[in-house]
Amino acid sequence: DRPLRRRGIVSPVAKPMAIVTQAAPEEAAEKPIGKAGGPEEKVGEAEALEGCSCSTVATLASSLVWPAICCLPLVLTLGGPLGLGYQNVFPRAWYDEEPVEPVRGDYGVVDPRTVKPLGLILGIIAVAVGQVFMLAYHLLRRSSLLGFTQHIQPEARVYDYLQGLKSHLSQPEGFALIGSYLVGTWMLGWMPSSYYSFAGGINWVHVAAQLLLQDFFQYAMHMGEHKISAWIYRHSHKPHHRFTNPKLFDAFDGSLADTSAMIVVPFILVARLVHANVWSYMAFGSLYANWLVLIHSEFAHPWDPVFRRLGFGTAADHHVHHRLFVFNYGHLFMYWDRVLGTYKSPSELAGKYFNKDV
């Protein structure tokens, strides 16, 4: 030390080292080391179990939206013992149990006065009721009342719920065009005869076949709009692609040409291939219309991990298409994309375009 002091340099090491050496036992005494299974660990385990339990409850509660979407055909076909079956509710003259082959005139249409409209009216009401439950679910998720809410993309779109709802319900490309198709084909007798039959309840095989075929034809039309020519894309699907970060209320915001090609044309083809009854048609329509809206959600859904394992389409899968344009042309299912090599997992974009774990 002496040579250093002569030069005016004092060693900063010796004294602090002595202080640290003396203080260490005191610090060790003030911070007891927790043992395995101690109070801190038990509290952590309890919090983890509570979080897991809350997450499970939120997932189960959220998943109830699916049977709720189909509640009208379910109640009217299964509610007989409670006096809620269609046979208890409606006069027998309002519907036909057996398939009805409409008598067409010279122009290939029937006199609308001879067609019973009950099936059509119930089908439209079923979709509307499904929309009520689906929109209520979205409001609860948006308000974080059904568990943790995770945005799919980092840039959260801020909007007023009521304004979004108004925009959603006023889209002519969605409800007006599709509603006109439903009314026209039913009342003019253009549906296959089985669709006018009330017998048999919901045939879930027919419902699954309708959903799969609808999505397959929609995949083909969707890819065609993108690939056939720039002119077709510009005048059909491009208006919908202005949403690179879509929200739930953007589902039917596109163009008349786009909705006609991707929804109405597949409807016509599916009706000729799957001869379902009115209840299966009703369940298919409600599931399809509401699922199509749910995949545009800005939030990941609690059921997404299960859907992804089954090959069903998720909101994150559809966000990939809106973000990159050249992947994930399917909507309800990812089977066609996987088979034809156009599928891209949202996990591949995590950290760049998407949040993790969506």
Side-chain angles (χ1 to χ4, degrees):
D1 238 8
R2 289 178 182 175
L4 294 174
R5 288 178 181 175
R6 288 193 196 103
R7 296 176 189 176
I9 302 173
V10 179
S11 172
V13 177
K15 291 182 179 179
M17 282 296 288
I19 293 170
V20 170
T21 304
Q22 294 171 2
E26 296 176 7
E27 291 180 0
E30 291 174 4
K31 297 180 180 179
I33 299 174
K35 297 180 181 179
E40 295 85 355
E41 186 174 329
K42 288 181 179 178
V43 169
E45 288 177 358
E47 290 176 348
L49 287 172
E50 184 180 354
C52 181
S53 176
C54 291
S55 175
T56 302
V57 170
T59 300
L60 292 174
S62 298
S63 300
L64 291 176
V65 72
W66 290 101
I69 284 170
C70 297
C71 71
L72 187 63
L74 285 171
V75 169
L76 290 176
T77 55
L78 301 177
L82 301 175
L84 299 175
Y86 70 93
Q87 294 164 323
N88 307 107
V89 176
F90 304 109
R92 181 65 180 80
W94 289 14
Y95 59 88
D96 294 296
E97 290 285 357
E98 298 302 321
V100 175
E101 189 64 51
V103 180
R104 296 180 178 85
D106 296 335
Y107 299 99
V109 299
V110 303
D111 184 346
R113 292 172 296 180
T114 66
V115 178
K116 296 177 180 179
L118 180 61
L120 169 67
I121 294 169
L122 290 177
I124 293 173
I125 293 174
V127 174
V129 171
Q131 286 277 304
V132 170
F133 283 110
M134 182 272 297
L135 293 170
Y137 154 79
H138 181 63
L139 178 61
L140 293 173
R141 285 286 291 168
R142 188 171 184 262
S143 305
S144 299
L145 296 176
L146 284 176
F148 173 70
T149 301
Q150 170 75 299
H151 281 85
I152 294 172
Q153 298 192 39
E155 306 84 12
R157 290 181 63 183
V158 179
Y159 64 92
D160 179 72
Y161 182 86
L162 292 179
Q163 284 297 111
L165 179 62
K166 181 180 177 181
S167 171
H168 172 65
L169 297 177
S170 63
Q171 295 300 329
E173 300 87 356
F175 298 103
L177 177 60
I178 297 171
S180 298
Y181 160 80
L182 295 172
V183 172
T185 55
W186 186 275
M187 296 306 296
L188 295 177
W190 286 343
M191 296 300 292
S193 60
S194 65
Y195 283 74
Y196 297 91
S197 169
F198 276 63
I202 301 173
N203 184 324
W204 291 106
V205 174
H206 285 169
V207 174
Q210 288 172 303
L211 290 169
L212 284 162
L213 286 171
Q214 178 73 16
D215 194 63
F216 172 74
F217 291 129
Q218 189 167 1
Y219 173 93
M221 300 300 287
H222 192 185
M223 180 177 279
E225 285 183 297
H226 274 273
K227 302 291 187 182
I228 291 175
S229 77
W231 186 90
I232 290 176
Y233 174 72
R234 188 167 60 253
H235 289 87
S236 61
H237 195 50
K238 187 176 180 180
H240 187 60
H241 265 293
R242 68 185 185 274
F243 306 114
T244 56
N245 182 11
K247 66 179 187 297
L248 181 132
F249 294 126
D250 297 332
F252 290 122
D253 193 342
S255 72
L256 291 172
D258 187 37
T259 303
S260 299
M262 281 214 292
I263 296 179
V264 175
V265 170
F267 272 169
I268 295 170
L269 296 174
V270 170
R272 271 69 195 162
L273 292 173
V274 183
H275 288 188
N277 66 11
V278 68
W279 303 115
S280 302
Y281 186 39
M282 205 180 298
F284 155 67
S286 192
L287 281 171
Y288 173 70
N290 287 285
W291 196 346
L292 206 59
V293 176
L294 285 168
I295 63 169
H296 285 83
S297 174
E298 61 270 34
F299 306 117
H301 300 298
W303 54 76
D304 284 350
V306 176
F307 271 34
R308 192 162 288 119
R309 283 181 175 274
L310 296 173
F312 294 180
T314 67
D317 287 323
H318 197 60
H319 270 250
V320 170
H321 179 74
H322 273 266
R323 192 73 189 187
L324 301 181
F325 298 179
V326 294
F327 299 102
N328 299 6
Y329 295 99
H331 291 76
L332 311 187
F333 306 102
M334 293 293 106
Y335 305 139
W336 328 121
D337 286 289
R338 290 184 183 277
V339 169
L340 297 172
T342 55
Y343 179 73
K344 181 174 281 292
S345 172
S347 62
E348 297 179 44
L349 306 178
K352 184 177 182 181
Y353 295 118
F354 292 175
N355 288 316
K356 295 180 180 180
D357 303 322
V358 297

